[in-house]
Amino acid sequence: MRLNLPGYVAKLLVLLKPHKIVKLVKNKHNIPEEWIMSYSSYPRMATVPQLFAEQAKDTPDAIAVSDNLEQLTFADLDRRSDRLAWALLDAGILPESAVAIVMRRSVRMIVAMLAVLKVGGTYVPVDENCPAQRLLLILEDAGIKFALTDEANTHRLQKMPVLVVSETVTSTDPPDRAKGPFPTPSHSGPLSRAYIMYTSGSTGTPKGVEVVHRGIVRLVRNTNYVEFGPTDVVGQVANPAFDAITFEVWGALLNGSRVVILDTDTVLSPKNFASAIEKHGITIMFLTASLFSVMAATIPTAFGRMRTLMAGGDAVNPEAARTILKMGPPQRLVNGYGPTECTTFSVCHWIQSVPEGARSIPIGRPISNSEAFVLNGALEVVQVGEAGDLYLGGDGLARGYLNRPELTAERFIAHPFDSTPGARLYKTGDRARYLPEGTIEFLGRLDHQVKFHGFRIELGEIETALKKHPQVIDAVVMVVKASAHDDRLAAWVSLINPERLSESDLRLFLSDELPKYMVPSHVVVLAALPLNAVGKVDRNLLPDPLSAQRGQEGGALASTQLETRIMEIWKQVLSLSSVGVDENFFDLGGTSLTLALVADRLQALNKPFEITDLFRHPTIRTLARFLGTTEDQSGGALVRAAQERAARQRAAFRARPQSPVVNKI
């Protein structure tokens, strides 16, 4: 048996860890065990609040978290979350009660997350911009009876008691309570549920993944892919509904590091993002592969002072990684892989070099207290270079899917190499293979699930949403590549009356059904979808969405030098041969990330602007007028129309009546 530990330490771990070092009886190709599993000693019996309490006691005066409005020390965060925890207890929150958190990314959001865990509850993070229908589905599925929110989001929650976490909450002990800290609940343990994270579902309904405390602790304490310490500053940029936030927040707070929350506008402006990284002295950060590519293409030197930069969420672009390593490498550049069902990361790879012509970057080996197996259909370990199905195990596994026992049984299977009662593996649905040096290479999906801008998306969920429209006969959705750092969602639909419905109409319809990151950049309307000999849609015959006919408003030529400059930038970024000056950037396939590339190239014009200005002026004509020294007042109606369309791109929900019960704490 090959182990990557001294013999006496390995024997000790056999006694202490939950599953014995398993004998790979189906490992006929003698794959070394260090390729498959990794273990370390960590506080596996502890909960998140217990470890935070220890940290707050050790470093009470150290800064724990900050945003652009306020900052809290560990002692402040402890007291402030205590006060909110008492309020939650008074509201009747019971062990593992699900509490929705619908808030902007802020210090108050982290106070809310910690307070819910302190009372033994389960927090359910929700994207504040998700459509009303999706929010309702999540609230109903999770059995939410109570929510935490901020002033900006109270209108999102209907007929539900909410607690508004105010910006001006003091750090004093709560009134009418004993002056001691909130007691650690005796009923909360390492296998208690900590949060429910909702991911895309192929049936059109999002599914909730139940993650336990042990999964979080195993992710961030005494692990082998990153090292958090008291001098580290962790940048928080992930959407609350994306499980990378688990790495950012608890990685910092359970190790004495500081969390710095960077607002979205800053993150989407490469220049401002790079400045913020330097200003705050950020040493650890996770970026989605798409944002990583944008920064590599614009300011590749931004990460040169970091200790660890992680990229992932989908396949990391080899050319982007090579550029970062050449221009401004952090001490450690890591490709992180792992589904929500395994608590953020399960397999990681330290990128030290990228060979010329490399088509992919390995996802690596298992992180500490995790397992990764590449198996064939008989659940046998495959040989080096042979493609197989990727299965994950270890302490990061979630309980399963909330209210979905059949799906849980299908995806969380009995461990074929471990006879310990309850031992399981998670079937990822990804294809992979072992490379000769012992790392794992990702080869693609078995189904129509994709990773897109960091989010896991079931393409079937988008197709189901499209088919809800009474005019839609059939629909197909795929990811298409516009350039090396620009992937886009595209949909092809057949309609009952094609002349009565436009691409913009369908995208607007979807914005009321799905989060904005799931709304396709391109919708191609066809008389009928092409079919193969067996009557299924032939995806190879679908027309290129990038060259398909766009709306009637396109085609107008540039009339000024500034419009011409902007037009050339748009064509480069969007990979289009022609663009009309009145076409909407987002209707042409633009995203917030490609907009960041536009902003970077516009710097050469020496015109003062913020990236939010580009959202408000999404056509070449209106943007040129805004950037110009004078503005043609006769174009006011056109400007307003363009601004309204941009607003539809940014807002994926409609205002709702305020909740009937609102308290502030």
Side-chain angles (χ1 to χ4, degrees), residues 186-228:
S186 59
H187 52 262
S188 184
L191 298 182
S192 296
R193 194 173 64 183
Y195 64 81
I196 301 171
M197 190 75 70
Y198 276 83
T199 67
S200 178
S202 59
T203 62
T205 302
K207 55 183 183 289
V209 180
E210 301 179 279
V211 175
V212 300
H213 286 257
R214 180 172 290 167
I216 299 172
V217 177
R218 149 262 177 211
L219 176 71
V220 301
R221 288 293 294 265
N222 195 26
T223 188
N224 58 2
Y225 71 100
V226 66
E227 181 180 346
F228 296 94

Side-chain angles (χ1 to χ4, degrees), residues 534-549:
V534 296
K536 294 184 177 181
V537 175
D538 191 333
R539 296 169 183 255
N540 295 321
L541 295 180
L542 293 169
D544 180 5
L546 302 182
S547 59
Q549 178 66 36

Side-chain angles (χ1 to χ4, degrees), residues 605-623:
L605 301 180
N606 295 318
K607 303 286 185 180
F609 68 90
E610 299 292 336
I611 196 165
T612 51
D613 296 326
L614 306 186
F615 277 107
R616 290 191 290 267
H617 303 280
T619 71
I620 293 172
R621 191 190 302 274
T622 58
L623 180 58

Side-chain angles (χ1 to χ4, degrees), residues 12 16 51 70 93 131 160 183 187 243 249 258 386 391 396 419-420 447 495 539 541 584 611 632 651 655 661:
L12 180 62
L16 294 180
L51 295 175
E70 58 181 331
I93 301 304
M160 174 178 293
H187 52 262
D243 67 347
V249 172
R258 175 182 176 180
E386 180 183 351
Y391 290 79
S419 59
T420 304
D447 52 22
L495 303 178
R539 296 169 183 255
L541 295 180
N584 186 289
I611 196 165
D632 181 3
V661 181

